[in-house]
Amino acid sequence: MKNIVFAVFSLFVMMPAVMADCNTPVTISYVGNQEPDDNEFLYESEREYLLAKQGYINSGKKNSGDGHAYECDMGKSGGCGRTDVVPMAPGHVFEGQVIDREVQYQCKNPGIVDNRWVVVEDGICHTKGFGDIAVGDCVPGDGGCKKLTDIDCSGYSKTDILGVEFKGVCFEGPLFKCVATKCRGGMTADKDGKCVASAMPVEPTPPTKPEVPVKPIKPVAGKCHPSVCTSELCKACCAKPSTETIWTPSVNKCVCVNGGDFVQEGGAWNCKASNNQLKYECDSLLMAKVASWKTKCADFADVLTDIAALETYCANTPAKDTFLRLYDELKGGVDTMCVGKKVLLIGEAQQKVQKAIGDLRASVADLEVSKWKTEEGKFNTARLASDSIAGVVLGTAGGLITSSVVKKHQVEDGFEDLNCTIGGQTVAGWGDEFTVGIH
């Protein structure tokens, strides 16, 4: 809706993207005055919305961080075009509000400045691959429902990811799904299209008007909602970012993206490397930089805490993707806190030095050379420091000319009338040692 910064030329650049499939949520790159609450974004869960909202803040309004959403914008990579329809399960977020019912949305963008999602209420599943399918009908073929492969169903919701043959059905919502009719691994499909272990093969008998579930849930690998979970394992798996774990409901298992097993230790669930799995070691060059930041950031306790946390993570069972993400976040903190604030402190110190120099110059400017002379222009003996050390102002040619005299003879030797003068001024008598300099 707020994407108003594109020129008309962008239309020709972005037109090929209209043909891209709108399959899964993507990381959002905000343009112009876009915000996470705009009606051109759909979030599958409140967690995804909160991740996007915090990412928007942390990135300086540039992207959604770890949050993902469906974006109604035919010009964006992974964005949705004019005819794309997305079914959302209960618990999704639209315009900043949690929606506790299943809703179908269609992307509407008649112009390049008014992209938005609208609720679909016409009872028709609009599909790109199979055309328009009415609620209760399936994709027709061979006198019944057409047999679809997992390739035919790529990009559409499936009742089970272990299916190898499907039928395409339009459910209430409307919501289009590929219902599994045949499964891999010796499993069989039940009436709801779920792959279950069974010794007896079950021949699916697809009805012309399939039974419609009351509240169908869209099972997407790696995405789950609390309403789906009934076990502690499922809830723990879903609490992790989708970049770390994937919940597979058909086999009731949590899969670690970077390998290993999802286990509970000390009351916390985490991915742990298997005994036969090679342990990833954090990049030594990057860790050397991290070590150097300890000195650079010695005055910043928060950054030192983050450095210690990263080192602890690398000492256990690190994963490459997670390590690189943590490193990038730490580097951002170093650049912002350590470098930025130290430059500011140096600038403040320079300002203080400049002020002190200015004050000193002002004080020197107030000094008057005439204070070293009497009204008759003769040397002011009252300004002598003592009888043994004397200072004489001789002139100002290129500087303040002074002489210092050290009285060696306090007793008259008969040569009292002999003396040394500079510029008509007596600076020393008989037996005195003196120096002359320019300041």
Side-chain angles (χ1 to χ4, degrees):
M1 178 185 69
K2 297 184 179 181
N3 189 359
I4 60 175
V5 298
F6 292 104
V8 175
F9 174 74
S10 300
L11 178 62
F12 301 98
V13 177
M14 297 186 296
M15 282 303 291
V18 178
M19 302 304 296
D21 288 336
C22 171
N23 296 331
T24 59
V26 296
T27 300
I28 301 301
S29 295
Y30 299 103
V31 180
N33 57 351
Q34 286 182 314
E35 297 176 350
D37 292 344
D38 291 347
N39 62 3
E40 56 194 300
F41 305 123
L42 286 174
Y43 305 89
E44 289 191 318
S45 67
E46 185 175 12
R47 174 179 172 79
E48 291 292 337
Y49 167 71
L50 294 176
L51 285 171
K53 195 169 185 180
Q54 191 62 43
Y56 173 79
I57 296 173
N58 293 344
S59 66
K61 302 181 180 180
K62 293 181 179 179
N63 59 66
S64 60
D66 293 335
H68 302 84
Y70 290 97
E71 182 175 7
C72 177
D73 191 334
M74 62 182 180
K76 295 294 186 65
S77 176
C80 302
R82 285 187 174 89
T83 61
D84 283 318
V85 176
V86 175
M88 300 298 290
H92 68 275
V93 176
F94 180 54
E95 294 186 313
Q97 301 295 320
V98 178
I99 310 300
D100 290 323
R101 60 185 178 85
E102 182 175 322
V103 180
Q104 186 113 336
Y105 298 86
Q106 183 172 4
C107 180
K108 296 289 185 180
N109 51 352
I112 62 173
V113 297
D114 192 25
N115 304 322
R116 66 193 187 282
W117 290 106
V118 296
V119 178
V120 177
E121 298 178 347
D122 59 0
I124 300 293
C125 291
H126 302 279
T127 69
K128 284 188 175 181
F130 311 113
D132 293 344
I133 310 297
V135 171
D137 289 344
C138 61
V139 177
D142 301 329
C145 296
K146 182 179 179 180
K147 290 183 179 181
L148 306 177
T149 66
D150 54 351
I151 296 178
D152 295 328
C153 290
S154 177
Y156 293 112
S157 296
K158 303 180 185 69
T159 57
D160 202 304
I161 60 175
L162 295 179
V164 293
E165 287 187 5
F166 304 85
K167 59 180 179 180
V169 180
C170 181
F171 293 96
E172 288 287 353
L175 171 63
F176 182 81
K177 285 186 180 181
C178 283
V179 179
T181 58
K182 186 177 180 180
C183 304
R184 61 170 57 92
M187 305 181 77
T188 57
D190 63 14
K191 62 182 180 65
D192 295 323
K194 297 291 185 181
C195 293
V196 296
S198 174
M200 297 296 295
V202 178
E203 284 293 327
T205 54
T208 304
K209 298 290 184 179
E211 183 178 344
V212 179
V214 179
K215 286 188 176 182
I217 301 299
K218 180 183 180 183
V220 180
K223 310 290 181 182
C224 44
H225 188 266
S227 61
V228 179
C229 295
T230 58
S231 64
E232 180 182 0
L233 174 64
C234 175
K235 294 178 181 179
C237 184
C238 293
K240 297 288 184 180
S242 59
T243 54
E244 295 182 17
T245 57
I246 296 178
W247 176 247
T248 308
S250 58
V251 293
N252 198 39
K253 182 178 179 180
C254 185
V255 178
C256 293
V257 174
N258 297 305
D261 300 319
F262 192 63
V263 297
Q264 185 179 29
E265 291 183 342
W269 288 88
N270 290 291
C271 288
K272 184 177 180 181
S274 304
N275 293 332
N276 59 352
Q277 180 183 2
L278 294 177
K279 178 182 177 182
Y280 170 75
E281 294 184 0
C282 296
D283 190 290
S284 59
L285 294 179
L286 296 182
M287 290 306 295
K289 288 186 179 181
V290 172
S292 69
W293 292 340
K294 293 181 181 180
T295 302
K296 181 184 294 185
C297 304
D299 298 330
F300 303 96
D302 290 344
V303 178
L304 293 178
T305 299
D306 292 341
I307 291 175
L310 179 57
E311 291 177 335
T312 300
Y313 175 75
C314 288
N316 294 297
T317 55
K320 182 177 180 180
D321 292 343
T322 303
F323 164 70
L324 294 177
R325 176 171 61 81
L326 294 175
Y327 174 84
D328 290 341
E329 292 175 355
L330 175 60
K331 184 177 185 301
V334 171
D335 293 341
T336 301
M337 296 293 294
C338 308
V339 178
K341 288 194 175 181
K342 284 194 174 183
V343 170
L344 180 61
L345 292 175
I346 291 174
E348 293 177 350
Q350 290 176 336
Q351 292 178 359
K352 291 181 180 179
V353 171
Q354 293 296 332
K355 184 178 184 301
I357 292 175
D359 293 343
L360 182 59
R361 286 176 175 170
S363 299
V364 173
D366 292 338
L367 295 176
E368 298 179 9
V369 177
S370 61
K371 291 180 180 180
W372 291 97
K373 297 182 180 182
T374 63
E375 294 180 357
E376 292 79 14
K378 296 182 178 181
F379 175 62
N380 188 356
T381 57
R383 295 192 65 88
L384 289 177
S386 67
D387 192 41
S388 61
I389 301 176
V392 180
V393 175
L394 305 177
T396 59
L400 187 63
I401 303 175
T402 64
S403 71
S404 298
V405 59
V406 180
K407 294 292 185 178
K408 293 290 186 177
H409 296 260
Q410 302 297 327
V411 180
E412 295 180 356
D413 292 335
F415 296 92
E416 298 82 11
D417 293 333
L418 296 178
N419 55 59
C420 183
T421 64
I422 298 177
Q425 297 186 35
T426 300
V427 297
W430 173 259
D432 292 336
E433 295 180 1
F434 65 97
T435 59
V436 176
I438 298 177
H439 298 278

